[in-house]
Amino acid sequence: MKLKEYIENLQAIYDISGNLEVIYATDDEGNDFNNVSHKPSVVYFDKKHKDIVHPHDLEDALADGVKVKQVVCIN
């Protein structure tokens, strides 16, 4: 993916969802680097467990008291 396409995708998310926090995925040791290959997307994030909550699990997570927030995941 080229920078222009990446910026256009981010702009579309910003236009719809506002100024959300940005997160990224890494390996367990935090030392793996690769080219960005996915479009940025808005996801629900469980900050306590550092995990993504998938939309089909959101209702159950909220009922269980999991505190989630919307963030932008860049890969």
Side-chain angles (χ1 to χ4, degrees):
M1 176 182 313
K2 298 289 185 174
L3 183 59
K4 183 176 188 220
E5 181 181 359
Y6 192 72
I7 290 170
E8 289 170 350
N9 286 303
L10 286 173
Q11 186 64 50
I13 289 171
Y14 176 79
D15 290 344
I16 293 169
S17 300
N19 194 24
L20 300 175
E21 185 177 346
V22 178
I23 64 168
Y24 65 95
T26 133
D27 69 316
D28 291 341
E29 296 177 7
N31 59 8
D32 186 36
F33 298 91
N34 290 304
N35 293 332
V36 174
S37 58
H38 299 280
K39 292 180 180 179
S41 59
V42 176
V43 297
Y44 294 99
F45 184 63
D46 173 356
K47 191 170 184 178
K48 180 178 179 183
H49 296 105
K50 296 183 180 178
D51 198 12
I52 299 298
V53 176
H54 296 281
H56 63 272
D57 296 327
L58 181 60
E59 189 174 318
D60 290 338
L62 293 174
D64 290 341
V66 176
K67 294 182 181 178
V68 299
K69 66 180 185 175
Q70 280 188 320
V71 298
V72 175
C73 184
I74 62 170
N75 66 338

